[in-house]
Amino acid sequence: MTSKIEFIQRMQSRTKDFALRSIRLFRALPKTEEARLIGKQYLRAATSVAANYRAVCRSRSKAEYFAKLSIVVEETDEALFWLEIMIAAEILPEVKLKSLVEEATELLAIFSSARKNTIINKKAMANSTIQ
C-alpha cells in the first residue's frame, strides 16, 4: 500500500510524462492544416492536465481541491477526445496513439474516481452536520 505522498508524487510524475509525450506527439504530427489545428487543441489540453494536477496538490481547501480536480478531469477527457479525433480523421494510425489513449483513459478513471470520492465525502460531511 502506498502512502498519500507517494501516490501524489507518482501522479505528478505520470501527468508530467503525459505532457512530455504529448509534446513529442505534436512535433511528429503531419504538416497539414487539420493536424496543426487539432494538434494544438490536443497539446493545450494534455499539458493542462499536468499543470492543473500540480494546482490540485496545492489546494488550500476542500472546495478548491474539488474545483481544481474538476478542471483536471475535464482537460484529461478533452485530451482523450482529441486523440480519438486524430484516429477517426486518420491523421495518425491508431497503433501510434494507442499508448497515449490508454494513459489518458487510466488518468481519467483515476481523477474521476477521486472527484467522485470528494463528492461522496462532501455529502457525508453535510449529512453529519445536519443531524
Short mmCIF file of all heavy atoms in Angstrom, two decimals, residues 14-84:
data_model
loop_
_atom_site.label_atom_id
_atom_site.label_comp_id
_atom_site.label_asym_id
_atom_site.label_seq_id
_atom_site.Cartn_x
_atom_site.Cartn_y
_atom_site.Cartn_z
N ARG A 14 3.42 10.97 -13.51
CA ARG A 14 2.65 10.45 -14.65
C ARG A 14 2.06 11.56 -15.49
O ARG A 14 2.08 11.49 -16.72
CB ARG A 14 1.50 9.55 -14.16
CG ARG A 14 1.93 8.13 -13.86
CD ARG A 14 0.78 7.28 -13.43
NE ARG A 14 -0.07 6.88 -14.55
CZ ARG A 14 -1.04 5.99 -14.44
NH1 ARG A 14 -1.31 5.41 -13.27
NH2 ARG A 14 -1.78 5.68 -15.49
N THR A 15 1.51 12.59 -14.85
CA THR A 15 0.90 13.67 -15.63
C THR A 15 1.97 14.48 -16.37
O THR A 15 1.75 14.90 -17.50
CB THR A 15 0.02 14.58 -14.75
OG1 THR A 15 0.80 15.11 -13.67
CG2 THR A 15 -1.18 13.83 -14.20
N LYS A 16 3.12 14.66 -15.74
CA LYS A 16 4.22 15.36 -16.41
C LYS A 16 4.72 14.55 -17.61
O LYS A 16 4.95 15.09 -18.69
CB LYS A 16 5.35 15.63 -15.42
CG LYS A 16 6.47 16.48 -15.97
CD LYS A 16 7.49 16.74 -14.87
CE LYS A 16 8.63 17.61 -15.33
NZ LYS A 16 9.59 17.84 -14.23
N ASP A 17 4.85 13.24 -17.41
CA ASP A 17 5.27 12.37 -18.51
C ASP A 17 4.25 12.39 -19.64
O ASP A 17 4.62 12.42 -20.82
CB ASP A 17 5.47 10.93 -18.00
CG ASP A 17 6.00 10.02 -19.08
OD1 ASP A 17 7.04 10.34 -19.67
OD2 ASP A 17 5.36 8.97 -19.33
N PHE A 18 2.97 12.41 -19.30
CA PHE A 18 1.90 12.50 -20.30
C PHE A 18 2.05 13.80 -21.10
O PHE A 18 1.92 13.80 -22.33
CB PHE A 18 0.53 12.42 -19.62
CG PHE A 18 -0.63 12.47 -20.55
CD1 PHE A 18 -0.89 11.42 -21.42
CD2 PHE A 18 -1.49 13.56 -20.55
CE1 PHE A 18 -1.99 11.46 -22.29
CE2 PHE A 18 -2.58 13.61 -21.41
CZ PHE A 18 -2.83 12.56 -22.27
N ALA A 19 2.34 14.89 -20.42
CA ALA A 19 2.54 16.18 -21.10
C ALA A 19 3.75 16.11 -22.04
O ALA A 19 3.68 16.57 -23.19
CB ALA A 19 2.70 17.29 -20.08
N LEU A 20 4.84 15.55 -21.57
CA LEU A 20 6.06 15.47 -22.39
C LEU A 20 5.84 14.56 -23.61
O LEU A 20 6.28 14.88 -24.72
CB LEU A 20 7.23 14.98 -21.55
CG LEU A 20 7.71 15.96 -20.48
CD1 LEU A 20 8.71 15.30 -19.55
CD2 LEU A 20 8.29 17.21 -21.13
N ARG A 21 5.18 13.44 -23.41
CA ARG A 21 4.86 12.55 -24.53
C ARG A 21 3.95 13.26 -25.53
O ARG A 21 4.07 13.07 -26.74
CB ARG A 21 4.20 11.27 -24.02
CG ARG A 21 5.16 10.37 -23.24
CD ARG A 21 4.46 9.19 -22.62
NE ARG A 21 3.87 8.34 -23.65
CZ ARG A 21 2.87 7.50 -23.41
NH1 ARG A 21 2.36 7.38 -22.21
NH2 ARG A 21 2.39 6.77 -24.39
N SER A 22 3.05 14.08 -25.02
CA SER A 22 2.13 14.83 -25.89
C SER A 22 2.88 15.88 -26.71
O SER A 22 2.54 16.10 -27.88
CB SER A 22 1.04 15.48 -25.05
OG SER A 22 0.28 14.48 -24.39
N ILE A 23 3.88 16.49 -26.13
CA ILE A 23 4.71 17.44 -26.86
C ILE A 23 5.43 16.73 -28.00
O ILE A 23 5.47 17.21 -29.14
CB ILE A 23 5.71 18.15 -25.92
CG1 ILE A 23 4.95 19.07 -24.96
CG2 ILE A 23 6.76 18.92 -26.72
CD1 ILE A 23 5.79 19.59 -23.80
N ARG A 24 5.98 15.55 -27.70
CA ARG A 24 6.66 14.78 -28.75
C ARG A 24 5.68 14.36 -29.85
O ARG A 24 6.03 14.39 -31.03
CB ARG A 24 7.37 13.57 -28.14
CG ARG A 24 8.60 13.96 -27.32
CD ARG A 24 9.45 12.76 -26.93
NE ARG A 24 8.83 11.90 -25.93
CZ ARG A 24 8.88 12.09 -24.62
NH1 ARG A 24 9.53 13.13 -24.12
NH2 ARG A 24 8.31 11.23 -23.80
N LEU A 25 4.48 13.98 -29.48
CA LEU A 25 3.46 13.64 -30.48
C LEU A 25 3.16 14.85 -31.37
O LEU A 25 3.12 14.73 -32.59
CB LEU A 25 2.16 13.17 -29.80
CG LEU A 25 0.95 13.06 -30.73
CD1 LEU A 25 1.17 11.99 -31.79
CD2 LEU A 25 -0.31 12.80 -29.95
N PHE A 26 2.97 16.00 -30.76
CA PHE A 26 2.67 17.21 -31.52
C PHE A 26 3.77 17.50 -32.54
O PHE A 26 3.49 17.82 -33.70
CB PHE A 26 2.51 18.41 -30.56
CG PHE A 26 2.21 19.69 -31.27
CD1 PHE A 26 0.94 19.96 -31.76
CD2 PHE A 26 3.20 20.63 -31.45
CE1 PHE A 26 0.67 21.15 -32.43
CE2 PHE A 26 2.95 21.82 -32.11
CZ PHE A 26 1.68 22.08 -32.60
N ARG A 27 5.01 17.34 -32.12
CA ARG A 27 6.13 17.57 -33.03
C ARG A 27 6.15 16.59 -34.20
O ARG A 27 6.66 16.92 -35.27
CB ARG A 27 7.45 17.47 -32.27
CG ARG A 27 7.70 18.60 -31.31
CD ARG A 27 8.98 18.38 -30.55
NE ARG A 27 9.24 19.46 -29.62
CZ ARG A 27 10.04 19.35 -28.57
NH1 ARG A 27 10.68 18.21 -28.32
NH2 ARG A 27 10.23 20.38 -27.76
N ALA A 28 5.59 15.39 -33.99
CA ALA A 28 5.62 14.35 -35.02
C ALA A 28 4.38 14.35 -35.93
O ALA A 28 4.31 13.55 -36.86
CB ALA A 28 5.75 12.98 -34.35
N LEU A 29 3.44 15.24 -35.68
CA LEU A 29 2.22 15.27 -36.49
C LEU A 29 2.54 15.67 -37.93
O LEU A 29 3.49 16.42 -38.17
CB LEU A 29 1.21 16.26 -35.91
CG LEU A 29 0.49 15.83 -34.64
CD1 LEU A 29 -0.35 16.98 -34.08
CD2 LEU A 29 -0.38 14.61 -34.90
N PRO A 30 1.74 15.20 -38.88
CA PRO A 30 1.92 15.63 -40.27
C PRO A 30 1.79 17.15 -40.37
O PRO A 30 1.12 17.78 -39.55
CB PRO A 30 0.77 14.94 -41.01
CG PRO A 30 0.28 13.87 -40.11
CD PRO A 30 0.62 14.28 -38.72
N LYS A 31 2.41 17.71 -41.35
CA LYS A 31 2.41 19.17 -41.51
C LYS A 31 1.21 19.63 -42.35
O LYS A 31 1.34 20.39 -43.30
CB LYS A 31 3.72 19.63 -42.16
CG LYS A 31 4.97 19.21 -41.40
CD LYS A 31 4.98 19.70 -39.98
CE LYS A 31 6.23 19.25 -39.26
NZ LYS A 31 6.05 19.06 -37.85
N THR A 32 0.02 19.17 -41.97
CA THR A 32 -1.21 19.59 -42.64
C THR A 32 -1.96 20.56 -41.74
O THR A 32 -1.73 20.60 -40.52
CB THR A 32 -2.12 18.38 -42.94
OG1 THR A 32 -2.51 17.78 -41.69
CG2 THR A 32 -1.41 17.35 -43.82
N GLU A 33 -2.86 21.32 -42.34
CA GLU A 33 -3.62 22.31 -41.58
C GLU A 33 -4.48 21.66 -40.49
O GLU A 33 -4.50 22.12 -39.36
CB GLU A 33 -4.49 23.14 -42.52
CG GLU A 33 -5.19 24.30 -41.85
CD GLU A 33 -4.25 25.38 -41.32
OE1 GLU A 33 -3.08 25.44 -41.72
OE2 GLU A 33 -4.71 26.18 -40.47
N GLU A 34 -5.19 20.57 -40.84
CA GLU A 34 -6.06 19.93 -39.84
C GLU A 34 -5.24 19.31 -38.71
O GLU A 34 -5.62 19.39 -37.54
CB GLU A 34 -7.02 18.91 -40.46
CG GLU A 34 -6.36 17.70 -41.07
CD GLU A 34 -5.94 17.85 -42.52
OE1 GLU A 34 -5.92 18.97 -43.05
OE2 GLU A 34 -5.59 16.82 -43.12
N ALA A 35 -4.09 18.73 -39.03
CA ALA A 35 -3.23 18.15 -37.98
C ALA A 35 -2.71 19.25 -37.07
O ALA A 35 -2.65 19.07 -35.85
CB ALA A 35 -2.08 17.38 -38.61
N ARG A 36 -2.37 20.39 -37.64
CA ARG A 36 -1.88 21.51 -36.84
C ARG A 36 -2.97 22.02 -35.90
O ARG A 36 -2.72 22.23 -34.70
CB ARG A 36 -1.40 22.63 -37.76
CG ARG A 36 -0.72 23.77 -37.03
CD ARG A 36 -0.30 24.89 -38.00
NE ARG A 36 -1.43 25.60 -38.57
CZ ARG A 36 -2.15 26.52 -37.92
NH1 ARG A 36 -1.85 26.85 -36.68
NH2 ARG A 36 -3.16 27.12 -38.50
N LEU A 37 -4.18 22.21 -36.42
CA LEU A 37 -5.27 22.74 -35.59
C LEU A 37 -5.68 21.76 -34.49
O LEU A 37 -5.79 22.14 -33.32
CB LEU A 37 -6.49 23.07 -36.45
CG LEU A 37 -6.32 24.27 -37.38
CD1 LEU A 37 -7.48 24.37 -38.35
CD2 LEU A 37 -6.17 25.54 -36.58
N ILE A 38 -5.87 20.51 -34.84
CA ILE A 38 -6.26 19.50 -33.86
C ILE A 38 -5.11 19.25 -32.88
O ILE A 38 -5.32 19.11 -31.68
CB ILE A 38 -6.72 18.21 -34.56
CG1 ILE A 38 -8.05 18.50 -35.27
CG2 ILE A 38 -6.87 17.05 -33.57
CD1 ILE A 38 -8.48 17.43 -36.23
N GLY A 39 -3.89 19.24 -33.41
CA GLY A 39 -2.72 19.05 -32.57
C GLY A 39 -2.58 20.12 -31.51
O GLY A 39 -2.24 19.83 -30.36
N LYS A 40 -2.84 21.36 -31.88
CA LYS A 40 -2.75 22.46 -30.90
C LYS A 40 -3.80 22.31 -29.81
O LYS A 40 -3.53 22.55 -28.63
CB LYS A 40 -2.90 23.82 -31.58
CG LYS A 40 -1.65 24.28 -32.27
CD LYS A 40 -1.82 25.69 -32.81
CE LYS A 40 -0.54 26.18 -33.45
NZ LYS A 40 -0.64 27.57 -33.91
N GLN A 41 -5.01 21.92 -30.19
CA GLN A 41 -6.08 21.69 -29.21
C GLN A 41 -5.67 20.57 -28.25
O GLN A 41 -5.83 20.68 -27.04
CB GLN A 41 -7.39 21.32 -29.91
CG GLN A 41 -8.00 22.44 -30.71
CD GLN A 41 -8.66 23.48 -29.84
OE1 GLN A 41 -8.79 23.35 -28.62
NE2 GLN A 41 -9.11 24.54 -30.46
N TYR A 42 -5.15 19.49 -28.83
CA TYR A 42 -4.71 18.36 -28.02
C TYR A 42 -3.58 18.77 -27.08
O TYR A 42 -3.60 18.47 -25.88
CB TYR A 42 -4.26 17.19 -28.91
CG TYR A 42 -3.54 16.13 -28.12
CD1 TYR A 42 -4.24 15.32 -27.23
CD2 TYR A 42 -2.17 15.98 -28.21
CE1 TYR A 42 -3.58 14.37 -26.47
CE2 TYR A 42 -1.50 15.02 -27.46
CZ TYR A 42 -2.22 14.22 -26.59
OH TYR A 42 -1.57 13.29 -25.82
N LEU A 43 -2.59 19.45 -27.62
CA LEU A 43 -1.42 19.84 -26.83
C LEU A 43 -1.82 20.73 -25.65
O LEU A 43 -1.34 20.55 -24.53
CB LEU A 43 -0.40 20.55 -27.72
CG LEU A 43 0.92 20.92 -27.05
CD1 LEU A 43 1.66 19.68 -26.58
CD2 LEU A 43 1.78 21.71 -28.04
N ARG A 44 -2.74 21.67 -25.89
CA ARG A 44 -3.19 22.55 -24.82
C ARG A 44 -3.86 21.74 -23.71
O ARG A 44 -3.56 21.90 -22.53
CB ARG A 44 -4.16 23.60 -25.37
CG ARG A 44 -4.56 24.64 -24.34
CD ARG A 44 -5.91 25.28 -24.64
NE ARG A 44 -6.97 24.33 -24.85
CZ ARG A 44 -7.60 23.65 -23.87
NH1 ARG A 44 -7.24 23.78 -22.62
NH2 ARG A 44 -8.57 22.81 -24.16
N ALA A 45 -4.75 20.82 -24.08
CA ALA A 45 -5.46 20.02 -23.08
C ALA A 45 -4.50 19.09 -22.34
O ALA A 45 -4.55 18.98 -21.11
CB ALA A 45 -6.59 19.23 -23.74
N ALA A 46 -3.64 18.40 -23.09
CA ALA A 46 -2.75 17.40 -22.48
C ALA A 46 -1.75 18.03 -21.52
O ALA A 46 -1.47 17.47 -20.45
CB ALA A 46 -2.03 16.62 -23.58
N THR A 47 -1.19 19.18 -21.88
CA THR A 47 -0.24 19.83 -20.97
C THR A 47 -0.96 20.46 -19.78
O THR A 47 -0.41 20.55 -18.69
CB THR A 47 0.61 20.88 -21.70
OG1 THR A 47 -0.24 21.82 -22.35
CG2 THR A 47 1.54 20.23 -22.71
N SER A 48 -2.21 20.83 -19.99
CA SER A 48 -3.02 21.39 -18.91
C SER A 48 -3.29 20.36 -17.81
O SER A 48 -3.42 20.72 -16.64
CB SER A 48 -4.33 21.92 -19.47
OG SER A 48 -5.14 22.46 -18.46
N VAL A 49 -3.36 19.10 -18.18
CA VAL A 49 -3.59 18.03 -17.19
C VAL A 49 -2.50 18.10 -16.12
O VAL A 49 -2.79 18.12 -14.92
CB VAL A 49 -3.63 16.64 -17.86
CG1 VAL A 49 -3.65 15.53 -16.82
CG2 VAL A 49 -4.82 16.53 -18.80
N ALA A 50 -1.24 18.14 -16.55
CA ALA A 50 -0.12 18.15 -15.60
C ALA A 50 -0.10 19.44 -14.78
O ALA A 50 0.07 19.40 -13.56
CB ALA A 50 1.20 17.98 -16.35
N ALA A 51 -0.27 20.56 -15.44
CA ALA A 51 -0.23 21.84 -14.73
C ALA A 51 -1.35 21.95 -13.71
O ALA A 51 -1.12 22.38 -12.57
CB ALA A 51 -0.31 22.99 -15.74
N ASN A 52 -2.53 21.54 -14.10
CA ASN A 52 -3.66 21.64 -13.17
C ASN A 52 -3.61 20.59 -12.07
O ASN A 52 -4.09 20.84 -10.96
CB ASN A 52 -4.98 21.59 -13.94
CG ASN A 52 -5.29 22.91 -14.58
OD1 ASN A 52 -5.49 23.91 -13.91
ND2 ASN A 52 -5.31 22.93 -15.90
N TYR A 53 -3.01 19.43 -12.33
CA TYR A 53 -2.86 18.45 -11.25
C TYR A 53 -1.92 19.01 -10.18
O TYR A 53 -2.15 18.82 -8.98
CB TYR A 53 -2.38 17.08 -11.75
CG TYR A 53 -2.31 16.11 -10.59
CD1 TYR A 53 -3.48 15.62 -10.02
CD2 TYR A 53 -1.11 15.75 -10.03
CE1 TYR A 53 -3.44 14.78 -8.93
CE2 TYR A 53 -1.06 14.90 -8.93
CZ TYR A 53 -2.23 14.42 -8.39
OH TYR A 53 -2.19 13.60 -7.29
N ARG A 54 -0.89 19.70 -10.60
CA ARG A 54 0.00 20.34 -9.62
C ARG A 54 -0.77 21.34 -8.77
O ARG A 54 -0.55 21.46 -7.56
CB ARG A 54 1.18 21.01 -10.31
CG ARG A 54 2.21 20.01 -10.80
CD ARG A 54 3.36 20.68 -11.48
NE ARG A 54 4.11 21.51 -10.55
CZ ARG A 54 5.42 21.50 -10.46
NH1 ARG A 54 6.13 20.70 -11.24
NH2 ARG A 54 6.04 22.29 -9.61
N ALA A 55 -1.69 22.06 -9.40
CA ALA A 55 -2.52 23.02 -8.66
C ALA A 55 -3.43 22.29 -7.68
O ALA A 55 -3.66 22.78 -6.56
CB ALA A 55 -3.33 23.87 -9.63
N VAL A 56 -3.94 21.12 -8.07
CA VAL A 56 -4.76 20.31 -7.16
C VAL A 56 -3.97 20.02 -5.89
O VAL A 56 -4.48 20.11 -4.78
CB VAL A 56 -5.20 18.99 -7.84
CG1 VAL A 56 -5.77 18.01 -6.82
CG2 VAL A 56 -6.21 19.25 -8.94
N CYS A 57 -2.70 19.66 -6.07
CA CYS A 57 -1.85 19.28 -4.94
C CYS A 57 -1.57 20.46 -4.00
O CYS A 57 -1.16 20.24 -2.86
CB CYS A 57 -0.54 18.68 -5.45
SG CYS A 57 -0.80 17.16 -6.37
N ARG A 58 -1.78 21.66 -4.45
CA ARG A 58 -1.55 22.84 -3.64
C ARG A 58 -2.85 23.48 -3.13
O ARG A 58 -2.84 24.59 -2.61
CB ARG A 58 -0.76 23.88 -4.43
CG ARG A 58 0.65 23.47 -4.75
CD ARG A 58 1.44 24.61 -5.39
NE ARG A 58 0.79 25.18 -6.55
CZ ARG A 58 0.89 24.73 -7.80
NH1 ARG A 58 1.61 23.67 -8.05
NH2 ARG A 58 0.26 25.33 -8.79
N SER A 59 -3.95 22.77 -3.28
CA SER A 59 -5.25 23.31 -2.87
C SER A 59 -5.25 23.69 -1.40
O SER A 59 -4.67 23.00 -0.56
CB SER A 59 -6.35 22.28 -3.13
OG SER A 59 -6.44 22.00 -4.49
N ARG A 60 -5.91 24.79 -1.10
CA ARG A 60 -5.95 25.30 0.27
C ARG A 60 -7.21 24.90 1.02
O ARG A 60 -7.31 25.11 2.22
CB ARG A 60 -5.82 26.82 0.25
CG ARG A 60 -4.46 27.28 -0.27
CD ARG A 60 -4.48 28.74 -0.58
NE ARG A 60 -5.37 28.91 -1.74
CZ ARG A 60 -5.41 29.97 -2.51
NH1 ARG A 60 -4.64 30.98 -2.25
NH2 ARG A 60 -6.22 30.04 -3.53
N SER A 61 -8.18 24.34 0.29
CA SER A 61 -9.43 23.92 0.94
C SER A 61 -10.03 22.77 0.15
O SER A 61 -9.63 22.52 -0.99
CB SER A 61 -10.43 25.09 0.99
OG SER A 61 -10.85 25.42 -0.34
N LYS A 62 -11.01 22.11 0.74
CA LYS A 62 -11.68 21.02 0.03
C LYS A 62 -12.43 21.54 -1.19
O LYS A 62 -12.47 20.89 -2.23
CB LYS A 62 -12.63 20.27 0.96
CG LYS A 62 -11.90 19.38 1.94
CD LYS A 62 -12.84 18.46 2.65
CE LYS A 62 -12.04 17.62 3.61
NZ LYS A 62 -12.39 16.24 3.62
N ALA A 63 -13.02 22.72 -1.07
CA ALA A 63 -13.75 23.30 -2.20
C ALA A 63 -12.79 23.61 -3.34
O ALA A 63 -13.10 23.34 -4.51
CB ALA A 63 -14.48 24.57 -1.76
N GLU A 64 -11.63 24.17 -3.03
CA GLU A 64 -10.64 24.47 -4.06
C GLU A 64 -10.11 23.17 -4.67
O GLU A 64 -9.94 23.07 -5.89
CB GLU A 64 -9.49 25.29 -3.46
CG GLU A 64 -8.49 25.74 -4.50
CD GLU A 64 -7.38 26.60 -3.93
OE1 GLU A 64 -7.17 26.60 -2.69
OE2 GLU A 64 -6.72 27.27 -4.73
N TYR A 65 -9.87 22.16 -3.84
CA TYR A 65 -9.43 20.85 -4.32
C TYR A 65 -10.43 20.30 -5.33
O TYR A 65 -10.06 19.86 -6.42
CB TYR A 65 -9.26 19.90 -3.13
CG TYR A 65 -8.98 18.47 -3.52
CD1 TYR A 65 -7.69 18.03 -3.78
CD2 TYR A 65 -10.02 17.54 -3.62
CE1 TYR A 65 -7.43 16.72 -4.13
CE2 TYR A 65 -9.78 16.23 -3.98
CZ TYR A 65 -8.48 15.82 -4.23
OH TYR A 65 -8.24 14.52 -4.59
N PHE A 66 -11.70 20.32 -4.97
CA PHE A 66 -12.74 19.78 -5.84
C PHE A 66 -12.80 20.56 -7.15
O PHE A 66 -12.89 19.95 -8.23
CB PHE A 66 -14.10 19.82 -5.13
CG PHE A 66 -15.21 19.25 -5.98
CD1 PHE A 66 -15.38 17.89 -6.07
CD2 PHE A 66 -16.06 20.09 -6.68
CE1 PHE A 66 -16.39 17.36 -6.85
CE2 PHE A 66 -17.06 19.56 -7.47
CZ PHE A 66 -17.24 18.20 -7.56
N ALA A 67 -12.74 21.87 -7.09
CA ALA A 67 -12.82 22.70 -8.29
C ALA A 67 -11.64 22.44 -9.22
O ALA A 67 -11.81 22.27 -10.43
CB ALA A 67 -12.88 24.18 -7.91
N LYS A 68 -10.44 22.39 -8.66
CA LYS A 68 -9.25 22.16 -9.48
C LYS A 68 -9.21 20.74 -10.04
O LYS A 68 -8.82 20.52 -11.17
CB LYS A 68 -7.99 22.48 -8.69
CG LYS A 68 -7.83 23.98 -8.42
CD LYS A 68 -6.57 24.29 -7.68
CE LYS A 68 -6.44 25.75 -7.34
NZ LYS A 68 -6.36 26.63 -8.47
N LEU A 69 -9.65 19.78 -9.24
CA LEU A 69 -9.71 18.40 -9.71
C LEU A 69 -10.72 18.27 -10.84
O LEU A 69 -10.51 17.52 -11.79
CB LEU A 69 -10.05 17.46 -8.55
CG LEU A 69 -9.98 15.97 -8.86
CD1 LEU A 69 -8.59 15.56 -9.35
CD2 LEU A 69 -10.35 15.18 -7.62
N SER A 70 -11.81 19.02 -10.76
CA SER A 70 -12.80 19.01 -11.84
C SER A 70 -12.19 19.52 -13.15
O SER A 70 -12.50 18.99 -14.23
CB SER A 70 -14.02 19.86 -11.46
OG SER A 70 -14.71 19.27 -10.38
N ILE A 71 -11.32 20.50 -13.07
CA ILE A 71 -10.63 21.00 -14.26
C ILE A 71 -9.73 19.91 -14.83
O ILE A 71 -9.68 19.70 -16.05
CB ILE A 71 -9.82 22.27 -13.94
CG1 ILE A 71 -10.76 23.42 -13.59
CG2 ILE A 71 -8.90 22.66 -15.09
CD1 ILE A 71 -10.08 24.64 -12.99
N VAL A 72 -9.03 19.19 -13.95
CA VAL A 72 -8.16 18.10 -14.41
C VAL A 72 -8.97 17.03 -15.13
O VAL A 72 -8.57 16.53 -16.19
CB VAL A 72 -7.35 17.50 -13.23
CG1 VAL A 72 -6.58 16.26 -13.67
CG2 VAL A 72 -6.40 18.54 -12.66
N VAL A 73 -10.13 16.69 -14.58
CA VAL A 73 -11.00 15.69 -15.22
C VAL A 73 -11.41 16.18 -16.61
O VAL A 73 -11.33 15.45 -17.60
CB VAL A 73 -12.24 15.38 -14.35
CG1 VAL A 73 -13.27 14.56 -15.11
CG2 VAL A 73 -11.82 14.65 -13.07
N GLU A 74 -11.84 17.43 -16.70
CA GLU A 74 -12.28 17.99 -17.98
C GLU A 74 -11.15 18.01 -19.00
O GLU A 74 -11.34 17.66 -20.17
CB GLU A 74 -12.81 19.41 -17.78
CG GLU A 74 -14.13 19.47 -17.04
CD GLU A 74 -14.53 20.89 -16.67
OE1 GLU A 74 -13.98 21.85 -17.26
OE2 GLU A 74 -15.38 21.04 -15.79
N GLU A 75 -9.97 18.43 -18.60
CA GLU A 75 -8.84 18.52 -19.52
C GLU A 75 -8.35 17.15 -19.97
O GLU A 75 -7.98 16.96 -21.13
CB GLU A 75 -7.69 19.31 -18.89
CG GLU A 75 -8.01 20.78 -18.62
CD GLU A 75 -8.24 21.60 -19.87
OE1 GLU A 75 -7.81 21.20 -20.98
OE2 GLU A 75 -8.87 22.67 -19.77
N THR A 76 -8.38 16.18 -19.06
CA THR A 76 -7.99 14.81 -19.42
C THR A 76 -8.98 14.24 -20.42
O THR A 76 -8.58 13.62 -21.43
CB THR A 76 -7.91 13.91 -18.17
OG1 THR A 76 -7.06 14.53 -17.19
CG2 THR A 76 -7.37 12.53 -18.52
N ASP A 77 -10.26 14.46 -20.18
CA ASP A 77 -11.28 13.98 -21.10
C ASP A 77 -11.15 14.67 -22.47
O ASP A 77 -11.29 14.03 -23.52
CB ASP A 77 -12.68 14.22 -20.52
CG ASP A 77 -13.77 13.57 -21.35
OD1 ASP A 77 -13.63 12.37 -21.68
OD2 ASP A 77 -14.75 14.26 -21.68
N GLU A 78 -10.84 15.95 -22.47
CA GLU A 78 -10.65 16.67 -23.72
C GLU A 78 -9.44 16.14 -24.49
O GLU A 78 -9.49 15.96 -25.72
CB GLU A 78 -10.51 18.18 -23.50
CG GLU A 78 -10.41 18.94 -24.80
CD GLU A 78 -10.31 20.44 -24.64
OE1 GLU A 78 -10.70 20.99 -23.58
OE2 GLU A 78 -9.82 21.08 -25.59
N ALA A 79 -8.36 15.89 -23.79
CA ALA A 79 -7.16 15.33 -24.45
C ALA A 79 -7.50 13.99 -25.09
O ALA A 79 -7.11 13.72 -26.23
CB ALA A 79 -6.02 15.18 -23.44
N LEU A 80 -8.25 13.16 -24.36
CA LEU A 80 -8.67 11.88 -24.90
C LEU A 80 -9.54 12.07 -26.15
O LEU A 80 -9.38 11.37 -27.15
CB LEU A 80 -9.42 11.08 -23.83
CG LEU A 80 -9.89 9.68 -24.20
CD1 LEU A 80 -8.74 8.80 -24.67
CD2 LEU A 80 -10.60 9.05 -23.01
N PHE A 81 -10.42 13.04 -26.10
CA PHE A 81 -11.27 13.35 -27.25
C PHE A 81 -10.43 13.68 -28.49
O PHE A 81 -10.68 13.17 -29.58
CB PHE A 81 -12.21 14.52 -26.92
CG PHE A 81 -12.93 15.06 -28.12
CD1 PHE A 81 -14.04 14.39 -28.62
CD2 PHE A 81 -12.51 16.22 -28.75
CE1 PHE A 81 -14.72 14.89 -29.74
CE2 PHE A 81 -13.16 16.71 -29.87
CZ PHE A 81 -14.28 16.04 -30.36
N TRP A 82 -9.42 14.54 -28.32
CA TRP A 82 -8.60 14.94 -29.47
C TRP A 82 -7.79 13.76 -30.00
O TRP A 82 -7.58 13.66 -31.21
CB TRP A 82 -7.72 16.14 -29.13
CG TRP A 82 -8.53 17.39 -28.94
CD1 TRP A 82 -8.62 18.15 -27.80
CD2 TRP A 82 -9.38 18.02 -29.89
NE1 TRP A 82 -9.47 19.20 -28.00
CE2 TRP A 82 -9.96 19.15 -29.28
CE3 TRP A 82 -9.73 17.75 -31.22
CZ2 TRP A 82 -10.85 20.00 -29.94
CZ3 TRP A 82 -10.62 18.59 -31.88
CH2 TRP A 82 -11.16 19.70 -31.24
N LEU A 83 -7.36 12.88 -29.13
CA LEU A 83 -6.68 11.66 -29.60
C LEU A 83 -7.64 10.82 -30.45
O LEU A 83 -7.26 10.31 -31.51
CB LEU A 83 -6.16 10.83 -28.42
CG LEU A 83 -4.96 11.40 -27.68
CD1 LEU A 83 -4.73 10.63 -26.38
CD2 LEU A 83 -3.71 11.36 -28.55
N GLU A 84 -8.88 10.68 -29.98
CA GLU A 84 -9.88 9.93 -30.73
C GLU A 84 -10.16 10.58 -32.08
O GLU A 84 -10.33 9.89 -33.09
CB GLU A 84 -11.17 9.82 -29.91
CG GLU A 84 -11.03 8.94 -28.69
CD GLU A 84 -12.21 9.05 -27.72
OE1 GLU A 84 -13.12 9.90 -27.95
OE2 GLU A 84 -12.21 8.31 -26.73
#
